[in-house]
Amino acid sequence: SPYEGDILHAPPLLLLLLYPIEGSSGTRLLRALFWTMIQVLVAVIMRMVVVEYERSPEVSKDCCHLGLALGDEDEEDDIPKLIEEENKKHQVQLDAAWINELVPLAYMLHPYSILTCIGTSTISVDHLFVMASVLCALRGRTIQTSVAISTATYISPYYIVLLPPLALLLRRKQEGAFSSYFSFVGACCAVMGALMYTSYAIMGSWDFVNAVYYFTFTVPDLSPNVGLFWYFFIEIFDQFRNFFLFLFQYHMLVYPIPLAMRVSHRPLFLFAFSLGYIAIFKSYPSIGDAAFYMPLLIMLYLLHAVWSP
């Protein structure tokens, strides 16, 4: 079994995907081309997300660079005044086509993204499925969104906190149908169950559960990394470990529902914010996580220069 020992902590289907590339048959050139292609795909999908978001009801075509959301009826009478103030403040109007190119370039040229590609980190595969999920959600495709986010959660369980913002995006696209929540969650559960059972059928045992998910949540390896866990748990006494481990791991589940209630009119902002605290509070984070959510924040700032409650 590849999960004997304490070296491998990736799920079986990801191993099956990467073995031809990273195995003994893969050449250095093939690896470089594969991981570069993954990074380019993430950037291309990110650009498509920006384009879809600009077409969404959340952003006004006339005032998208002034931070005015469609539906803010109490501010419609003040639009000329706000336009004049923004012109004085910024002097230059940002062009939407320029934003479309800026956001993926901010991801591709980020030093952390470049290092992630050079280091052939599997975090790029996570980002590919996560970005595909938000693109499908913006287009109102429930099944495709469920498959993408379930695959990302199968690889890294922390992405389960992205379900509320994706559900909000799907509900808005489907004209507020409340049943869309249940269909989305049900589809995610079905896809996740299928992935787990397929992994069991391939491996012939459930050993991968301990090696992948139990290892992630119990944090037995305290080698220094860019996260918070290793330093904190080196310092605390052993009798308090389980208590603080519970707080560190499961407090992330406290954020999604209250935030979804407070910023339900900004589901993509909630999505980017969730990616941010995942990058901070993961037990074994990667520098690529920081490079992933920052371009989305740039997009939101440029399209909503003035945040409205």
Side-chain angles (χ1 to χ4, degrees), residues 172-244:
R172 174 171 294 185
K173 197 70 174 180
Q174 297 172 2
E175 300 180 355
F178 188 74
S179 60
S180 62
Y181 286 141
F182 298 99
S183 61
F184 174 59
V185 173
C188 288
C189 293
V191 174
M192 191 66 186
L195 291 172
M196 295 295 288
Y197 182 78
T198 304
S199 300
Y200 168 75
I202 292 174
M203 300 303 301
S205 69
W206 294 101
D207 291 344
F208 69 93
V209 174
N210 287 333
V212 179
Y213 306 111
Y214 185 78
F215 179 87
T216 300
F217 289 122
T218 57
V219 199
D221 184 6
L222 297 179
S223 301
N225 54 59
V226 297
L228 302 174
F229 278 74
W230 72 273
Y231 183 79
F232 187 85
F233 285 99
I234 281 177
E235 297 293 332
I236 67 172
F237 294 106
D238 290 340
Q239 58 265 36
F240 301 117
R241 175 182 170 85
N242 290 337
F243 172 73
F244 284 102

Side-chain angles (χ1 to χ4, degrees), residues 1-252:
S1 172
Y3 295 105
E4 293 181 357
D6 193 30
I7 298 177
L8 190 60
H9 304 289
L13 295 181
L14 183 60
L15 295 182
L16 194 64
L17 171 67
L18 297 180
Y19 181 75
I21 306 298
E22 296 293 335
S24 58
S25 60
T27 64
R28 183 176 300 179
L29 178 60
L30 181 61
R31 295 185 190 120
L33 290 175
F34 176 79
W35 292 109
T36 302
M37 181 186 68
I38 294 293
Q39 291 286 89
V40 171
L41 279 176
V42 174
V44 170
I45 296 175
M46 190 173 290
R47 185 186 185 281
M48 296 169 69
V49 167
V50 178
V51 174
E52 288 291 332
Y53 183 64
E54 289 175 350
R55 297 172 181 170
S56 69
E58 191 172 325
V59 180
S60 169
K61 293 182 180 180
D62 296 330
C63 309
C64 64
H65 304 304
L66 303 178
L68 299 177
L70 284 177
D72 294 337
E73 298 178 357
D74 56 334
E75 295 183 357
E76 288 181 357
D77 296 336
D78 296 329
I79 286 178
K81 182 180 178 180
L82 290 172
I83 291 177
E84 182 179 356
E85 291 176 357
E86 287 295 324
N87 285 336
K88 292 179 180 179
K89 180 179 179 181
H90 296 288
Q91 298 296 325
V92 178
Q93 293 288 343
L94 294 174
D95 182 61
W98 184 70
I99 297 177
N100 296 344
E101 307 301 332
L102 174 64
V103 174
L105 283 176
Y107 172 75
M108 287 290 294
L109 300 180
H110 197 291
Y112 290 168
S113 294
I114 296 173
L115 289 175
T116 298
C117 186
I118 294 174
T120 64
S121 173
T122 58
I123 197 69
S124 300
V125 180
D126 301 21
H127 295 167
L128 179 62
F129 285 107
V130 170
M131 193 53 60
S133 71
V134 71
L135 176 63
C136 294
L138 284 168
R139 294 179 174 178
R141 298 174 181 174
T142 302
I143 300 301
Q144 292 90 330
T145 304
S146 304
V147 172
I149 194 60
S150 298
T151 305
T153 305
Y154 166 76
I155 299 173
S156 177
Y158 291 104
Y159 292 120
I160 194 173
V161 301
L162 298 178
L163 293 183
L166 291 174
L168 289 173
L169 286 170
L170 287 170
R171 183 169 178 260
R172 174 171 294 185
K173 197 70 174 180
Q174 297 172 2
E175 300 180 355
F178 188 74
S179 60
S180 62
Y181 286 141
F182 298 99
S183 61
F184 174 59
V185 173
C188 288
C189 293
V191 174
M192 191 66 186
L195 291 172
M196 295 295 288
Y197 182 78
T198 304
S199 300
Y200 168 75
I202 292 174
M203 300 303 301
S205 69
W206 294 101
D207 291 344
F208 69 93
V209 174
N210 287 333
V212 179
Y213 306 111
Y214 185 78
F215 179 87
T216 300
F217 289 122
T218 57
V219 199
D221 184 6
L222 297 179
S223 301
N225 54 59
V226 297
L228 302 174
F229 278 74
W230 72 273
Y231 183 79
F232 187 85
F233 285 99
I234 281 177
E235 297 293 332
I236 67 172
F237 294 106
D238 290 340
Q239 58 265 36
F240 301 117
R241 175 182 170 85
N242 290 337
F243 172 73
F244 284 102
L245 184 63
F246 176 83
L247 290 182
F248 266 63
Q249 290 285 19
Y250 301 106
H251 84 286
M252 294 180 65

Side-chain angles (χ1 to χ4, degrees), residues 247-262:
L247 290 182
F248 266 63
Q249 290 285 19
Y250 301 106
H251 84 286
M252 294 180 65
L253 299 177
V254 176
Y255 299 127
I257 302 303
L259 285 173
M261 296 172 63
R262 178 62 184 90

